[in-house]
Amino acid sequence: LESSQEKQSQTIARRQEEFRRRLVVGASQVRNVQAVSMASALPWDSMHGWFMVRAGTRDVEHRWLPRTDVTPGYFAVMGGRLLRGRDFDDHDTARSRPVAIVSESAARLLWPGAEPVGQRIAEHEPDSSFQPRWYDIVGVVGDVLPPALDLDAFPTVYLCLGQGSFPPTLVARYSGNAALVRKELQDAVFSADIDATTSRGAGTVSAALAEISFPCRTAARILTLAALIGLLLASVGIYGVVSFSAAQRLREMGIRSALGASAGTIVLHLL
């Protein structure tokens, strides 16, 4: 029974791997597409998981960190810069040794003052009875963060999508007409597998960021409107005070004017 289940799992993994390969190849051939990859989530929508860090021969602390499974080329699409080590490649499959890449902020958090490449990290919940699954750190990448969002860098662990089975999101860097590229990328998905389904419509990063930042932008507009109303009320109040003061001192202003005071001098006395 175990052997049958293992064979079935291997068959599913091979089919998923072949689908991802066909999809990336097909999407890469779309006009105006410069780079293509796949990911389990986008930078602002990452899953979180427990990771255990090893220092020397000891398994030390557990950390609750963002985790994203990606295919080779993801960092080129999202603007991430490989700082040390290597990117994932086609040799990183379900049948090879598990590997991981960490963001620059994760490297500083987990191994302060040490070289992260060559270290090991494991998926493991605290007090879990299951054996941890260890990954070799093969690279460090600059923090991938949407520039339109005022957020701190996420210390993220990147795993190879070819060594997992999460439903992928196709990501592409392109130029030209967004609607046309979207349509051709959707055609590429169904060309890779006619039975493929999409959980949500294709969209641009700018549209997604606009949706995410809508509450903040709405709050900023409301605060700006409130500030303008406050400024208007303050101006009306100042005008009323000055007008009342001028009416009360009308006789005084007439005497000063008769004695030769200039208009500017009279205004200064009112203020």
Side-chain angles (χ1 to χ4, degrees):
L1 180 61
E2 289 184 3
S3 177
S4 175
Q5 290 178 339
E6 184 178 350
K7 288 181 179 179
Q8 185 177 8
S9 298
Q10 291 175 352
T11 301
I12 293 174
R14 281 195 298 270
R15 288 177 178 175
Q16 291 174 336
E17 187 177 328
E18 180 61 22
F19 168 72
R20 289 192 294 266
R21 188 192 65 78
R22 290 197 306 268
L23 178 53
V24 169
V25 170
S28 299
Q29 296 173 351
V30 172
R31 287 174 299 173
N32 297 324
V33 167
Q34 301 158 357
V36 176
S37 185
M38 305 182 79
S40 60
L42 295 173
W44 54 88
D45 197 27
S46 297
M47 300 176 295
H48 283 65
W50 283 107
F51 288 92
M52 182 169 63
V53 180
R54 172 169 288 176
T57 58
R58 296 186 306 112
D59 299 337
V60 287
E61 57 190 342
H62 284 78
R63 293 278 189 172
W64 180 249
L65 297 173
R67 166 245 179 104
T68 303
D69 292 43
V70 303
T71 61
Y74 171 80
F75 304 114
V77 175
M78 301 304 295
R81 187 167 57 92
L82 190 66
L83 303 178
R84 289 191 291 280
R86 67 171 179 89
D87 195 353
F88 297 125
D89 57 36
D90 293 336
H91 296 96
D92 299 318
T93 67
R95 298 174 294 281
S96 63
R97 188 179 179 91
V99 293
I101 294 174
V102 294
S103 67
E104 186 177 14
S105 58
R108 288 195 302 265
L109 175 68
L110 300 175
W111 300 284
E115 172 57 52
V117 175
Q119 303 283 356
R120 305 193 75 198
I121 193 170
E123 288 182 285
H124 190 260
E125 295 185 8
D127 303 322
S128 173
S129 58
F130 292 99
Q131 289 295 317
R133 186 186 188 195
W134 288 98
Y135 296 83
D136 295 330
I137 304 300
V138 296
V140 179
V141 69
D143 293 305
V144 177
L145 192 64
L149 296 180
D150 185 18
L151 299 173
D152 294 330
F154 300 128
T156 305
V157 177
Y158 297 97
L159 305 181
C160 185
L161 192 59
Q163 297 178 332
S165 59
F166 285 98
T169 296
L170 181 68
V171 293
R173 180 179 291 272
Y174 70 94
S175 60
N177 187 296
L180 181 60
V181 172
R182 263 201 314 268
K183 174 64 170 59
E184 293 187 6
L185 286 175
Q186 287 177 324
D187 291 341
V189 172
F190 296 116
S191 295
D193 187 345
I194 195 170
D195 296 322
T197 58
T198 55
S199 60
R200 56 185 176 185
T204 62
V205 170
S206 57
L209 294 180
E211 181 179 350
I212 293 171
S213 61
F214 176 75
C216 296
R217 290 186 288 112
T218 301
R221 288 170 181 168
I222 292 173
L223 291 175
T224 301
L225 179 60
L228 291 174
I229 293 173
L231 181 61
L232 177 61
L233 292 176
S235 300
V236 171
I238 292 172
Y239 171 78
V241 170
V242 173
S243 178
F244 177 77
S245 176
Q248 293 291 100
R249 302 173 63 181
L250 189 59
R251 181 183 178 87
E252 175 189 340
M253 287 189 290
I255 295 173
R256 288 181 180 275
S257 179
L259 293 175
S262 65
T265 303
I266 294 174
V267 170
L268 287 175
H269 278 288
L270 280 175
L271 298 177

